[in-house]
């Protein structure tokens, strides 16, 4: 274990255990309003507008007829809308529980790549981390409005539990330990003293050194690999695993821990231009069964990963929370970690961290081997490219009175069109935390204004002034959609709610949702997400569909961090190609705003 790794682990561990104790008592949910159910007619009109740049006119005619039947006399629309409004009056949030169940817990895909996002943070010198910090997560605000804070306590001591048909989330209170995993070996390590006080930096340091001394060799059977499996397969293996009393105790210790700390072994060195991509991949999936993938428990809500080379980051399971609260937590950690901790170490003898053992029979060994094979196939299929665009950052659009996020979304649409000669169903993630219990909704990037700009951008017969006007129109339209989403008036969660309300009432799914247009409109070939942070972090996640991309970006004042992923199994998509095209497209947009000639 390098000096950097020791100090970084030490700081992260003690700070987070203290954060837990401070945020649980105030959620501030009373400060935010309930999430509204948008008007039915408004959502259906918005849905039609969203389809216009995606499908031909003859298909639009068919969809309009379906919408007329849906909301007209005798249609199910008004009845389902009334059901949603009734649900909103009698629940904390009318859509969040359904969304978590539908988007996450009922999904049977493996968690690595397909679901769990990763945040890779820049290398830090250990001398920057001299002390732990005490503090409280303050209430967040967006556009002057308080955000719901109730998700933060749920991040700790929580875990996803696999099932054969659907998963569940378990939350534990009063946890006193974390789980540390090194060389595929799991340890239960207390971070509170017997008197209830949190351990000091030097106490945790001493305990981590003990774990290091006990984990020199790599365990032959990487138990954590099981959590990477297809959820139904893992659910079956989970049931077999927990039949044994020792296995059940070890698994429960992992599930109940505040979080998991993954101490990764060194990985093969790569060139500087590939370093960020390699590190993001390491955080995301561990690099494979011959690398650090056995140092993960993918069901755990929070996993902090620290490598011996100074790289570190966070992997999280998002059924409990999506990206914005996680980014806030990391910013809070980084803000306070450099401040010294005046707390003195008490003269209290510490018990040895408890190693977690497993009884592995033939069936479990077979399950592990299958999981190893499947994970390596999945990892080899993922194409990932991270890069730091350094020509400009969010200040350039601001100088021209343009929204930085909308500007980047235009660049993404233009780059996709340059590669594929079409626009596609694309979504940007909009936080709904301005509402009680709110999660996320989508902002649909393709609009008629966006399409018009994209089609004329490379046309030499169109003047620069005309292109600038089209650019502004595309950006203003996107800003309007963003404003609607932040007011709880986006269309996608509402449409999903109407569909699920029909199922809830035992009704047939309306034809509107069986339409070819709806299938195309929800086949997200371009999944995007802005996760702004105060540090040079890079978030990454896998595409939502086999023939799609996922693009995440973190805009700073004079540069922007991007991650682009695609699947190698699809010949039409290449992360490297889209990343390179995006880079050149941003340069062309800069030239449009600030011509050099």
């Amino acid at each position: 274990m390098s000096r950097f790794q020791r100090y970084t682990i030490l700081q992260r561990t003690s700070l987070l255990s203290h954060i837990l104790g401070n945020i649980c008592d105030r959620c501030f949910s009373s400060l935010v309003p309930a999430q509204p159910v948008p008007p039915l007619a408004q959502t259906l009109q918005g849905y039609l507008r969203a389809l216009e740049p995606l499908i031909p006119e003859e298909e639009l005619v068919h969809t309009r007829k379906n919408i007329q039947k849906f909301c007209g006399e005798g249609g199910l629309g008004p009845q389902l809308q009334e059901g949603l409004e009734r649900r909103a009056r009698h629940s904390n949030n009318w859509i969040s529980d359904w969304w978590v169940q539908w988007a996450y817990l009922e999904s049977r895909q493996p968690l690595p790549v397909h679901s769990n996002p990763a945040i890779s943070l820049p290398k830090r010198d250990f001398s920057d981390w001299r002390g732990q910090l005490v503090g409280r997560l303050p209430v967040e605000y967006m556009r002057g409005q308080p955000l719901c804070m109730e998700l933060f306590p749920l991040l700790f001591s929580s875990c996803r539990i696999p099932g054969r048909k659907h998963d569940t989330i378990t939350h534990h209170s009063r946890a006193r330990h974390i789980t540390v995993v090194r060389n595929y070996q799991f340890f239960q390590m207390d971070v509170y003293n017997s008197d209830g006080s949190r351990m000091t930096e030097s106490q945790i340091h001493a305990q981590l050194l003990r774990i290091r001394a006990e984990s020199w060799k790599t365990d032959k059977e990487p138990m954590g690999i099981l959590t990477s499996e297809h959820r139904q397969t893992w659910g079956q293996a989970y049931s077999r695993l927990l039949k044994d009393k020792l296995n059940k105790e070890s698994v429960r210790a992992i599930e109940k821990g505040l979080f998991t700390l993954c101490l990764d072994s060194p990985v093969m060195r790569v060139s500087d231009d590939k370093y960020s991509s390699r590190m993001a991949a390491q955080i995301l999936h561990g690099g494979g069964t011959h690398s650090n993938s056995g140092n993960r428990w993918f069901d755990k809500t929070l996993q902090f990963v620290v490598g011996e080379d100074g790289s570190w980051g966070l992997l999280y399971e998002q059924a409990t929370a999506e990206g914005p609260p996680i980014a806030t937590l990391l910013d809070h950690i980084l803000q306070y970690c450099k401040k010294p901790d005046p707390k003195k170490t008490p003269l209290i003898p510490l018990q040895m961290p408890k190693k977690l053992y497993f009884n592995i029979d033939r069936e479990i060994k077979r399950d592990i081997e299958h999981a190893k094979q499947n994970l390596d196939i999945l990892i080899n299929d993922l194409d990932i490219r991270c890069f730091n665009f350094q020509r400009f950052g969010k200040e350039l659009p601001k100088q021209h009175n343009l929204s930085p996020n909308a500007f980047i979304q235009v660049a993404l649409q233009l780059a996709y069109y340059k590669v594929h000669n079409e626009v596609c169903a694309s979504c940007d993630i909009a936080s709904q935390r301005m509402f009680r219990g709110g999660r996320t909704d989508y902002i649909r990037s393709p609009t008629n204004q966006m399409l018009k700009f994209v089609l004329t951008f490379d046309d030499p017969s169109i003047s620069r002034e005309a292109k600038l006007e089209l650019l502004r129109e595309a950006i203003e339209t996107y800003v309007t959609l963003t404003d609607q989403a932040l007011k709880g008036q986006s269309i996608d969660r509402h449409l999903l709610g109407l569909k699920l309300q029909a199922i809830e009432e035992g009704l047939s799914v309306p034809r509107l949702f069986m339409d070819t247009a709806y299938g195309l409109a929800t086949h997200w070939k371009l999944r995007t997400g802005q996760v702004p942070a105060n540090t040079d972090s890079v978030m990454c996640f896998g595409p939502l569909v086999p023939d799609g991309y996922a693009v995440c970006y973190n805009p700073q004042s004079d540069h922007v961090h991007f991650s682009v992923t695609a699947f190698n199994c699809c010949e039409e998509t290449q992360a490297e190609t889209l990343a390179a095209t995006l880079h050149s497209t941003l340069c062309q947009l800069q030239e449009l705003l600030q011509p050099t000639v």
Side-chain angles (χ1 to χ4, degrees):
M1 183 187 296
S2 67
R3 294 175 66 197
F4 168 85
Q5 195 176 26
R6 294 178 193 170
Y7 279 86
T8 304
I9 294 164
L10 173 61
Q11 304 302 333
R12 213 77 76 257
T13 304
S14 51
L15 173 66
L16 284 175
S17 61
H18 182 69
I19 288 176
L20 177 69
N22 277 275
I23 66 174
C24 288
D25 57 345
R26 294 183 68 189
C27 294
F28 300 95
S29 58
S30 61
L31 296 178
V32 295
Q35 185 165 340
V37 180
L40 180 61
Q42 173 185 293
T43 291
L44 296 177
Q45 291 170 2
Y47 175 54
L48 279 174
R49 284 195 298 271
L51 288 176
E52 288 174 357
L54 298 177
I55 64 175
E57 179 60 31
E58 56 269 21
E59 290 188 31
L60 271 175
V61 171
H62 179 72
T63 301
R64 288 193 187 100
K65 291 180 180 178
N66 281 337
I67 288 178
Q68 289 171 359
K69 292 178 182 178
F70 180 70
C71 62
E73 185 175 351
L76 287 177
Q79 176 184 337
L80 299 179
Q81 177 74 4
E82 183 180 338
L84 290 182
E85 292 171 353
R86 183 170 57 251
R87 179 181 172 88
R89 289 193 296 269
H90 297 94
S91 61
N92 186 51
N93 187 290
W94 63 272
I95 188 61
S96 288
D97 288 346
W98 270 353
W99 167 249
V100 170
Q101 190 72 23
W102 179 84
Y104 302 124
L105 301 183
E106 291 183 0
S107 172
R108 303 290 79 195
Q109 288 187 310
L111 294 186
V113 175
H114 291 293
S115 183
N116 290 7
I119 301 177
S120 177
L121 290 148
K123 274 189 174 183
R124 301 295 297 248
D125 181 74
F126 72 86
S127 63
D128 284 341
W129 304 86
R130 294 193 181 95
Q132 73 180 179
L133 196 270
V134 299
R136 176 193 299 275
L137 281 173
V139 179
E140 288 184 271
Y141 289 82
M142 179 183 289
R143 302 186 177 187
Q145 299 299 315
L147 300 182
C148 181
M149 303 292 286
E150 67 182 38
L151 290 177
F152 284 100
L154 303 180
L155 295 175
F156 300 90
S157 301
S158 62
C159 195
R160 182 163 166 171
I161 308 299
R164 297 191 179 190
K165 293 184 178 180
H166 64 83
D167 294 355
T168 55
I169 297 293
T170 179
H171 301 284
H172 301 276
S173 59
R174 300 181 180 177
R176 302 174 61 88
H177 72 275
I178 66 169
T179 306
V180 180
V181 53
R182 179 173 183 261
N183 285 334
Y184 307 169
Q185 300 175 59
F186 288 82
F187 294 83
Q188 177 180 331
M189 189 182 94
D190 286 345
V191 289
Y192 289 95
N193 292 305
S194 57
D195 62 358
S197 63
R198 59 186 176 83
M199 287 187 178
T200 64
E201 175 180 319
S202 60
Q203 284 179 306
I204 295 176
H205 189 191
Q207 294 295 74
L208 290 172
L209 288 176
R210 284 176 157 185
I211 289 175
R212 172 178 168 79
E214 290 292 318
S215 58
W216 281 102
K217 293 183 179 180
T218 301
D219 263 14
K220 292 182 179 179
E221 302 299 342
M223 293 300 298
I225 293 290
L226 288 172
T227 65
S228 71
E229 263 286 22
H230 184 279
R231 300 309 292 176
Q232 181 177 353
T233 304
W234 170 218
Q236 294 169 345
Y238 183 86
S239 297
R240 287 192 293 270
L241 186 66
L242 266 61
K243 289 179 180 178
D244 181 272
K245 181 180 179 181
L246 178 65
N247 293 342
K248 187 173 183 178
E249 290 176 354
S250 296
V251 170
R252 290 289 185 259
I254 296 171
E255 293 171 350
K256 292 179 179 179
L258 297 170
F259 54 86
T260 296
L261 183 61
C262 311
L263 306 183
D264 278 4
S265 300
V267 298
M268 185 183 301
R269 291 187 178 182
V270 294
S271 58
D272 290 345
D273 64 318
K274 294 182 179 180
Y275 177 81
S276 61
S277 301
R278 168 65 68 85
M279 289 304 103
Q282 277 290 318
I283 307 298
L284 186 65
H285 50 59
T289 59
H290 295 289
S291 186
N292 290 298
S293 293
N295 282 355
R296 306 286 185 273
W297 195 267
F298 289 103
D299 292 353
K300 194 64 183 164
T301 301
L302 288 178
Q303 296 190 89
F304 288 87
V305 182
V306 182
E308 288 194 15
D309 64 350
S311 60
W312 69 286
L314 171 65
L315 179 68
Y316 67 95
E317 199 288 308
Q318 58 181 345
T320 298
E322 283 96 356
I326 304 295
T328 298
L329 178 65
L330 277 177
D331 281 345
H332 182 72
I333 294 168
L334 293 170
Q335 179 183 2
Y336 288 109
C337 267
K338 294 182 181 180
K339 295 184 179 180
D341 178 20
K343 191 175 182 182
K344 294 183 179 180
T345 300
L347 298 176
I348 302 175
L350 300 176
Q351 291 185 344
M352 176 69 191
K354 179 183 177 182
K355 183 173 180 178
L356 303 179
Y357 290 95
F358 296 89
N359 287 326
I360 302 174
D361 58 22
R362 287 185 178 181
E363 282 191 302
I364 299 301
K365 184 175 176 59
R366 181 201 62 198
D367 292 335
I368 293 173
E369 289 304 313
H370 288 168
K372 288 166 66 176
Q373 294 171 13
N374 291 334
L375 180 59
D376 283 338
I377 291 171
L378 176 60
I379 288 174
N380 290 331
D381 191 31
L382 184 69
D383 183 17
I384 182 168
R385 177 72 172 99
C386 299
F387 69 96
N388 182 8
F389 181 80
Q390 297 180 317
R391 286 277 294 267
F392 62 84
K394 58 186 177 183
E395 291 304 318
L396 175 66
K398 287 182 178 180
Q399 291 171 7
H400 296 268
N401 296 318
L402 301 173
S403 161
N405 185 51
F407 183 82
I408 293 174
Q409 285 291 323
V410 171
L412 286 169
Q413 290 296 310
L414 183 55
Y416 185 93
Y417 184 83
K418 286 174 177 287
V419 174
H420 295 283
N421 200 33
E422 65 174 8
V423 295
C424 67
S426 312
C427 59
D428 187 17
I429 300 170
S431 175
Q432 298 292 281
R433 286 181 56 221
M434 62 291 300
F435 304 113
R436 187 170 62 248
R439 298 295 293 262
T440 62
D441 207 331
Y442 288 153
I443 308 168
R444 287 178 170 266
S445 307
T447 61
N448 288 325
Q449 293 80 3
M450 188 86 74
L451 178 61
K452 192 171 183 180
F453 172 72
V454 165
L455 293 176
T456 59
F457 183 77
D458 288 323
D459 188 344
S461 66
I462 306 296
S463 68
R464 171 179 173 268
E465 290 72 20
K467 291 179 182 178
L468 279 172
E469 183 60 29
L470 291 174
L471 172 64
R472 289 191 178 276
E473 289 177 2
I475 288 177
E476 288 170 2
T477 302
Y478 191 84
V479 169
T480 299
L481 291 176
T482 302
D483 290 339
Q484 290 176 355
L486 296 179
K487 294 175 182 177
Q489 302 296 313
S490 200
I491 67 172
D492 280 285
R493 296 297 180 270
H494 190 197
L495 290 172
L496 175 64
L498 292 167
K499 180 181 177 179
L500 295 180
Q501 183 65 29
I503 297 173
E504 179 90 352
E505 296 183 17
L507 303 171
S508 298
V509 175
R511 288 185 179 181
L512 174 66
F513 303 109
M514 309 299 287
D515 194 7
T516 303
Y518 186 75
L520 188 148
T522 54
H523 186 78
W524 304 106
K525 287 188 175 182
L526 189 55
R527 172 195 191 187
T528 73
Q530 176 191 212
V531 185
N534 296 326
T535 60
D536 287 319
S537 58
V538 180
M539 179 176 282
C540 61
F541 36 62
L544 287 173
V545 294
D547 56 342
Y549 300 92
V551 181
C552 197
Y553 50 96
N554 175 11
Q556 301 293 302
S557 60
D558 59 356
H559 61 280
V560 186
H561 290 282
F562 286 96
S563 70
V564 182
T565 59
F567 289 118
N568 292 316
C569 64
C570 180
E571 295 181 358
E572 287 77 30
T573 58
Q574 293 182 334
E576 180 72 33
T577 300
L578 183 63
T581 306
L582 176 59
H583 189 284
S584 62
T585 298
L586 287 166
C587 294
Q588 290 175 320
L589 289 174
Q590 181 185 22
E591 179 69 19
L592 180 64
L593 291 176
Q594 298 176 331
T596 55
V597 179

